[in-house]
Amino acid sequence: MTRVAAIDCGTNSIRLLVADVDLAVGTLVDLDRRSEVVRLGQGVDRTGRLAPEALERTFDACRRYAAVCRELGAEAVRFVATSASRDAENRDVFVAGVRALLGVEPEVVTGAEEAALSFRGATGVVAARHPGPYLVVDLGGGSTELVLGESTPRAARSMDVGCVRLTERHLPGDPPGEDERAAAHRDVAAALDEAADAVPLGETVTLVGLAGSVTTVTAHALGLAAYEPRRIDGAVLGVDQVLAACDELLAMTRDERAALGFMHPGRVDVIGAGALVWRDVVARVRDEVAATGRTLEHVVTSEHDILDGIAWSVAERSLA
């Protein structure tokens, strides 16, 4: 058994998992799993650079995560950075800061590797309860990854649409107006058209959604009074139920969203865009599956995602 730490630094949040991994029997046991909204990708779509205040928020979180890793005795740490740091001209500043605080080199992974890590993390749990092929959708702040496969990924594509990127680009309204929503829908449709050339969406049997936008939509669809990971993880929702929850969140004002007991404060301003992306992905997959003569009956939500995939990879590296 190996005690590992996995850190996932995305456009909107930075997350930590410390876990005991036993590769011999295939188990991963959480010791600490936490998340902070730092909005590293603030303004990156517009400026192409990581903002100083966004970097400082992220470094503050790294200091806290380093302390947790020391306290729990993590033997190996892997820090994975995704969309915002891939796009930024000054990502060297980010890399140097993380290295100084955590003692590890942050890995700015490609969209393809991000997708593969998400697929492994999600299907390790979902596969025991649902049939494949699986389409795993990791909806982040700056990008959304689509991965299709069974035991391993067979096709993948990273799309440059996410809840922070689309909010900043198209959805300043409170709530967004019809023209704003239409512009965002066009971006997602174009991204899905391109992704569908690489990923055969119609082969999906089980659609699995990951990350904060999807879990928040799920909490809303379930009518939760507070965020309850145990009820959200593995939740099976009808397609129409998901689409309705997305539409409701997009139509709300920020004050209405903030009043929802399950809503993380850092998601209030971007969940409308996240819901829009998730709605369009679910509807597109439904239609592609229908074109093959089958029906997409439901959508599965997983709290197991790229963090779990990173943790498995750390354990394998430590034994290599």
Side-chain angles (χ1 to χ4, degrees), residues 2 5 17 25 56 81 102 115 135 143 171 188 196 240 259 287 291 305 320:
T2 307
L17 170 63
V25 297
E56 191 51 45
L102 282 157
L135 179 66
S143 65
L171 303 175
V188 179
D240 289 343
D287 294 346
D305 51 27

Side-chain angles (χ1 to χ4, degrees), residues 3-7 16-19 69 74-79 310-311 314:
R3 181 161 293 182
V4 303
I7 299 173
L16 168 70
L17 170 63
V18 180
C69 292
E75 301 166 41
V77 179
R78 185 180 183 190
F79 188 111
I310 297 167
V314 179

Side-chain angles (χ1 to χ4, degrees), residues 14 17 30 39 76-77 90 99 116 124 149 154-155 176 222 251 286:
I14 182 169
L17 170 63
D30 289 15
R39 196 66 57 84
V77 179
N90 60 336
R99 187 192 302 122
R154 178 156 48 88
L222 292 173
R286 174 201 62 194

Side-chain angles (χ1 to χ4, degrees), residues 126-244:
V126 169
R129 291 172 283 180
H130 301 279
Y134 309 98
L135 179 66
V136 175
V137 181
D138 187 351
L139 201 172
S143 65
T144 297
E145 280 62 52
L146 306 177
V147 197
L148 181 76
E150 294 199 42
S151 58
T152 58
R154 178 156 48 88
R157 178 58 61 97
S158 180
M159 307 187 299
D160 279 338
V161 291
C163 61
V164 175
R165 192 184 296 271
L166 284 190
T167 299
E168 293 183 350
R169 186 181 292 173
H170 294 304
L171 303 175
D174 185 22
E178 184 177 342
D179 290 346
E180 294 171 351
R181 296 195 303 270
H185 282 302
R186 284 194 294 271
D187 272 12
V188 179
L192 282 168
D193 287 344
E194 184 178 342
D197 290 337
V199 182
L201 303 178
E203 295 181 17
T204 303
V205 172
T206 299
L207 174 59
V208 185
L210 316 179
S213 288
V214 174
T215 58
T216 301
V217 169
T218 302
H220 185 58
L222 292 173
L224 300 184
Y227 194 90
E228 299 181 50
R230 290 185 180 180
R231 292 187 60 186
I232 293 168
D233 185 37
V236 178
L237 301 173
V239 169
D240 289 343
Q241 191 178 4
V242 174
L243 300 183

Side-chain angles (χ1 to χ4, degrees), residues 44 46-51 83-94:
V44 169
R46 177 176 53 83
T47 68
R49 296 178 63 81
L50 297 167
S83 177
S85 43
R86 273 201 301 268
D87 297 342
E89 296 172 2
N90 60 336
R91 69 181 188 181
D92 289 349
V93 178
F94 167 73

